[in-house]
Amino acid sequence: LRTRVTGLKFEIQGQQEALQRNQEELLARQKELATIYYTMGTKDELKNAGVVQPNGGVLGVGKTLKVSGKFEEAAFSPLNTDEQNVIQIPAKKGKVQILSAQPPGSYSLTKVGKDMVELHILDRSEFRKIKHLVILKA
């Protein structure tokens, strides 16, 4: 009987350790799923970082900025959307434009001062379907 009890204790301990590993793995995966990467800058800063490129227009007139899709991860900062749902954006005259393809209904932009705008994430699951957020400061 003692041998059986000792065996069960080891079995329970092994199962508890496996459960702990599984919980840690789930937390890591959830953090990965909840994390997006964002960058912000002026037109020239974003172009120089290779984040955006001019698109369209005729003879340099009417060009729009398009997210290049080829950029260095170092240009972006991580944001865990489960822990934080507001990004403060210092912008002269409070002019900000989202260049990436986040669904418009998943966030809102609110001017909170003369030179400050806040991006509020309203629908986390929709917002983070696009992992890279590009913010143009005018």
Side-chain angles (χ1 to χ4, degrees), residues 75-136:
F76 289 80
S77 301
L79 174 77
N80 185 330
T81 59
D82 283 344
E83 296 173 359
Q84 185 178 350
N85 66 348
V86 175
I87 300 173
Q88 292 195 331
I89 308 163
K92 292 180 181 174
K93 301 178 185 175
K95 296 196 180 211
V96 169
Q97 182 180 358
I98 305 302
L99 298 179
S100 48
Q102 270 71 21
S106 68
Y107 68 90
S108 69
L109 294 171
T110 306
K111 191 172 180 178
V112 292
K114 178 181 167 193
D115 295 331
M116 185 65 69
V117 174
E118 287 182 344
L119 182 145
H120 293 265
I121 300 170
L122 305 175
D123 184 341
R124 291 180 173 132
S125 62
E126 283 297 310
F127 187 82
R128 59 188 174 210
K129 285 181 179 177
I130 306 297
K131 286 293 188 181
H132 289 85
L133 170 65
V134 179
I135 302 167
L136 174 65

